[in-house]
Amino acid sequence: MIILRNRLLERGVYMNIVEVIRLTKSYENFIAVDNIDFTIEKGEVFGFLGPNGAGKTSTINMLTGLSKVTGGNINISGIDGVKDIKKAQSIMGIIPDESNLYSEMNGFENLCFCASLYGMEKEEREKRAKELLKQFGLDNTGKKPFKAYSKGMKRKLTIAAGIIHDPKILFLDEPTTGIDVESARQIRELIVDLNKKGTTIFITTHYIEEAERLCDRIAFIVKGKIVQVGKTDELMKGVQRDKIVQFTLDDGILDIKETLQKDFSHYKFEIINDNIIRIKSKENISLTPIMKYFDEKGLSVYEAKVIRPSLEDVFVKITGIEVSKMNKKGGKK
Amino acid sequence: MKSWIAFWNILKKDMKNYYLKPPNISWGIIFPVAWTLMFFIKSESTLGIRDILPGVMAMSILFGTTSMLAVTITFERKSCSFERLLLAPISLNVLMLSKTTGAILFGIVNAFIPVIFASFIISLSGINWFIVFAGVLLIAITSTFLGLFIAVSVNEVFEAQTFSNFFRFPMIFLCGLFIPIQSLPIIIRPLSYILPLTYGADILKETISGVGDIPIWTDFLALIVFGIILFSISVKNIKEKWIY
């Protein structure tokens, strides 16, 4: 069965590169990961989203071999990820949530050293290290030791070290936590580029927007259990019940609210502030009569836009946890 | 082949980052010299340099290896860079052997510094250097694995140093280097025989000063057994404590 699956995987027919079945992790009386199942398709960006302490890092640690599995099975590209983790590690790139390269060594030395851990020959690893330094915009750091790098640079070099051996699957644990906006943007671009080149990516994050922007599919984990898993756009469709159109107008919305509701009784109106109003309906919203109404009332319309549900709405609906509270807790999970 | 590339590069990295740093080189030289001078001045009237040489060599290895390994492993563990090694596709045995080889080499070099100094002062003829080297190698291996055992048992560098002293100082006084085991109180004597340094010191005393107490093959066998036990316990502890 495994041989057949491997052959299909090589030919690109069999799509799951990771299969997790009834995975459990417990520490004495505490269950960190509770009987979870999910698959990751070859070539996709799979997001693992959840609040602090949900079990994200425990899961990634079990998948990468840094933590023992209490129960369940892991299959990574046809390799038993529980019994034969060392073999599985050779096709994985692992980027932990903290930059853990060697502080005394410069970028080039760090990358060459990491490549050697995967058995790469000297010439090959030096060539690849130079390529990556250039690709990540770190080729001008010269002989600067890693400890002298900025946080963003450290993060980029850590990602470069994780992909130096050209892994089939890349595990990223909170890749943009604790770094500046510009570096975070660059890292997101790098992740997109890597994925375009065919690398399958497993990413844990507690930044909803990041997951929305990067992931093809997402699993929500809360208190060690996966509460929802699906394609990002499908998850968002799932929460949309009403059609919503938002208008930005002159001041004076409050004056017309009552007559508006009377004239358009089949719609619901929600005033956001003095000049923003939302119209909600189960049916499609016809804009022309409303625009005409505003015109008759002497109100100028500056903007009209359709409001789609965000992943944040999905998350709040599924977990009941306010995203602002989740992000406030900061870097660690 | 791939494991060998990883092994060699971990060793090279450790040598460059830790063992060949100027403070460690100077420590590696000054420490054995200080021991040599201290014992020579103190024991000038009763003991010759040749008599104290085995003790100074053994102590240089013991202190050099345990100190360095406790620091390097604990430091890397603390800075999370050790996780990078645990996540590499190499077996834990190969990984730990590569991490300890640097300390073993450091211990061997430390052992021969007092020999070099002594060679300028006294004649060292009639010594079987092959057996001395084999003894030094085994002392370095067991001391390093003792250092590994200590490093795996603690979380902080200062804890490693404190815990090392808990083993090192009693070992010096109980291993027969300076106080013959037969002169120790009978109740303490069994302790001497469960210390690896007792057997290492006996090899050096027998070969350099001709005053060994235990058959030399027993010494070698005991050191090999100690090495295997300490390494196995350490690797088991790593699996249990660090791959939690």
Side-chain angles (χ1 to χ4, degrees):
Chain A
M1 187 65 187
I2 289 172
I3 295 167
L4 177 66
R5 180 168 41 195
N6 288 351
R7 283 189 186 155
L8 291 171
L9 197 63
E10 276 165 22
R11 290 177 197 169
V13 179
Y14 194 84
M15 295 306 287
N16 292 340
I17 193 167
V18 176
E19 289 176 345
V20 171
I21 303 158
R22 293 190 291 279
L23 190 66
T24 302
K25 178 73 193 175
S26 56
Y27 304 95
E28 292 175 5
N29 298 325
F30 172 68
I31 298 172
V33 177
D34 192 0
N35 219 17
I36 62 170
D37 297 274
F38 65 91
T39 56
I40 303 175
E41 287 178 16
K42 195 178 172 192
E44 77 173 342
V45 180
F46 185 84
F48 214 52
L49 207 63
N52 298 328
K56 300 192 298 288
T57 297
S58 292
T59 305
I60 208 170
N61 282 350
M62 284 191 283
L63 291 172
T64 56
L66 205 57
S67 173
K68 287 190 195 96
V69 171
T70 308
N73 294 307
I74 300 168
N75 191 291
I76 296 170
S77 195
I79 302 164
D80 187 328
V82 179
K83 290 180 186 159
D84 204 0
I85 186 63
K86 286 293 158 191
K87 194 174 173 193
Q89 281 172 340
S90 64
I91 58 159
M92 289 179 198
I94 302 149
I95 294 147
D97 59 344
E98 280 178 41
S99 300
N100 62 354
L101 290 165
Y102 295 90
S103 56
E104 299 295 325
M105 288 155 69
N106 63 38
F108 180 72
E109 288 168 338
N110 262 304
L111 291 186
C112 287
F113 174 71
C114 291
S116 76
L117 296 176
Y118 293 86
M120 286 168 73
E121 298 283 352
K122 191 171 187 266
E123 262 181 41
E124 190 190 359
R125 58 181 185 249
E126 287 184 352
K127 188 178 162 225
R128 181 87 174 120
K130 280 177 193 162
E131 277 172 14
L132 285 172
L133 286 173
K134 200 173 172 190
Q135 186 189 337
F136 282 64
L138 296 168
D139 49 342
N140 56 357
T141 52
K143 292 190 173 172
K144 218 173 171 183
F146 183 67
K147 65 183 173 189
Y149 279 31
S150 69
K151 270 191 178 177
M153 285 161 74
K154 280 183 178 172
R155 204 80 195 111
K156 282 193 230 171
L157 195 71
T158 308
I159 294 175
I163 59 167
I164 191 136
H165 57 296
D166 208 8
K168 281 187 184 173
I169 178 160
L170 185 63
F171 291 91
L172 284 143
D173 194 6
E174 305 277 357
T176 58
T177 300
I179 57 172
D180 62 280
V181 177
E182 179 55 17
S183 297
R185 189 189 60 79
Q186 288 175 1
I187 284 168
R188 280 193 286 268
E189 277 175 12
L190 286 168
I191 293 168
V192 171
D193 283 348
L194 280 171
N195 181 244
K196 276 183 188 161
K197 285 175 188 163
T199 310
T200 307
I201 294 172
F202 176 98
I203 181 170
T204 73
T205 181
H206 62 259
Y207 294 139
I208 301 272
E209 325 81 63
E210 185 168 272
E212 193 174 337
R213 216 176 295 178
L214 293 173
C215 301
D216 299 309
R217 285 196 311 133
I218 287 170
F220 289 102
I221 183 167
V222 180
K223 291 178 184 169
K225 286 180 187 284
I226 290 185
V227 289
Q228 186 99 17
V229 59
K231 287 190 176 171
T232 311
D233 48 356
E234 283 173 3
L235 287 171
M236 290 195 284
K237 273 182 200 161
V239 291
Q240 186 162 35
R241 290 204 173 88
D242 291 342
K243 305 273 189 304
I244 304 170
V245 177
Q246 178 175 293
F247 288 92
T248 306
L249 310 159
D250 288 337
D251 289 348
I253 291 173
L254 293 170
D255 304 334
I256 60 158
K257 195 200 168 189
E258 278 182 23
T259 54
L260 193 62
Q261 185 67 73
K262 205 181 281 178
D263 292 350
F264 298 93
S265 56
H266 51 297
Y267 295 150
K268 280 182 191 166
F269 294 89
E270 182 190 355
I271 293 176
I272 305 298
N273 60 35
D274 279 355
N275 55 353
I276 295 179
I277 188 165
R278 278 185 182 178
I279 304 173
K280 293 180 182 178
S281 170
K282 301 275 180 209
E283 308 300 323
N284 284 339
I285 297 168
S286 177
L287 293 181
T288 316
I290 295 166
M291 296 285 281
K292 200 175 163 190
Y293 180 88
F294 288 141
D295 193 41
E296 282 168 4
K297 297 288 175 188
L299 293 169
S300 301
V301 177
Y302 296 113
E303 188 187 42
K305 64 177 180 185
V306 176
I307 304 290
R308 292 191 173 83
S310 67
L311 201 56
E312 184 174 329
D313 299 322
V314 183
F315 186 82
V316 173
K317 185 188 167 225
I318 292 169
T319 64
I321 298 168
E322 288 293 331
V323 174
S324 56
K325 284 180 189 167
M326 181 172 111
N327 287 345
K328 259 182 202 169
K329 285 178 185 172
K332 293 298 288 184
K333 295 136 295 298
Chain B
M1 183 59 190
K2 284 188 171 183
S3 286
W4 169 244
I5 291 173
F7 176 93
W8 173 243
N9 280 279
I10 293 169
L11 172 61
K12 222 166 62 170
K13 188 255 315 164
D14 280 357
M15 293 304 282
K16 192 179 165 193
N17 281 6
Y18 306 119
Y19 299 106
L20 296 179
K21 289 275 179 196
N24 292 329
I25 295 173
S26 58
W27 190 83
I29 295 170
I30 291 167
F31 185 80
V33 172
W35 282 113
T36 310
L37 290 176
M38 190 175 83
F39 283 103
F40 182 63
I41 293 163
K42 183 78 182 165
S43 317
E44 202 176 15
S45 54
T46 52
L47 288 171
I49 287 180
R50 200 156 167 153
D51 297 315
I52 63 164
L53 196 55
V56 177
M57 286 171 75
M59 279 201 300
S60 300
I61 301 169
L62 180 69
F63 277 80
T65 53
T66 50
S67 302
M68 287 304 295
L69 200 76
V71 171
T72 56
I73 299 247
T74 318
F75 175 74
E76 283 196 5
R77 172 89 181 122
K78 191 85 184 142
S79 65
C80 295
S81 48
F82 198 83
E83 274 185 13
R84 186 163 286 282
L85 304 177
L86 290 174
L87 291 168
I90 46 171
S91 77
L92 196 54
N93 285 340
V94 172
L95 169 61
M96 294 324 295
L97 285 174
S98 64
K99 287 300 291 176
T100 48
T101 302
I104 293 168
L105 294 175
F106 187 73
I108 293 170
V109 172
N110 270 7
F112 284 99
I113 288 166
V115 176
I116 293 166
F117 280 103
S119 70
F120 290 111
I121 305 165
I122 56 162
S123 165
L124 294 173
S125 57
I127 295 171
N128 186 334
W129 288 107
F130 177 76
I131 296 177
V132 170
F133 183 80
V136 164
L137 176 67
L138 281 175
I139 299 170
I141 290 172
T142 48
S143 302
T144 300
F145 290 168
L146 177 68
L148 178 64
F149 171 76
I150 292 163
V152 175
S153 309
V154 299
N155 295 317
E156 301 283 347
V157 173
F158 78 87
E159 285 176 325
Q161 293 294 14
T162 312
F163 197 29
S164 298
N165 289 335
F166 178 77
F167 284 95
R168 288 188 299 208
F169 286 104
M171 228 191 262
I172 290 169
F173 294 107
L174 296 173
C175 74
L177 270 176
F178 305 110
I179 307 163
I181 295 172
Q182 298 312 317
S183 311
L184 292 170
I186 198 156
I187 199 162
I188 294 175
R189 264 182 240 167
L191 274 180
S192 300
Y193 293 103
I194 57 163
L195 301 174
L197 199 61
T198 302
Y199 303 94
D202 195 69
I203 294 173
L204 297 182
K205 281 197 302 180
E206 174 64 36
T207 330
I208 296 172
S209 320
V211 291
D213 298 322
I214 306 164
I216 207 155
W217 65 268
T218 313
D219 292 328
F220 276 105
L221 190 67
L223 285 176
I224 290 167
V225 171
F226 272 115
I228 292 168
I229 291 172
L230 285 167
F231 186 76
S232 307
I233 293 173
S234 302
V235 170
K236 186 174 167 281
N237 283 347
I238 291 170
K239 278 183 188 163
E240 281 173 9
K241 290 180 70 178
W242 293 357
I243 306 170
Y244 41 85

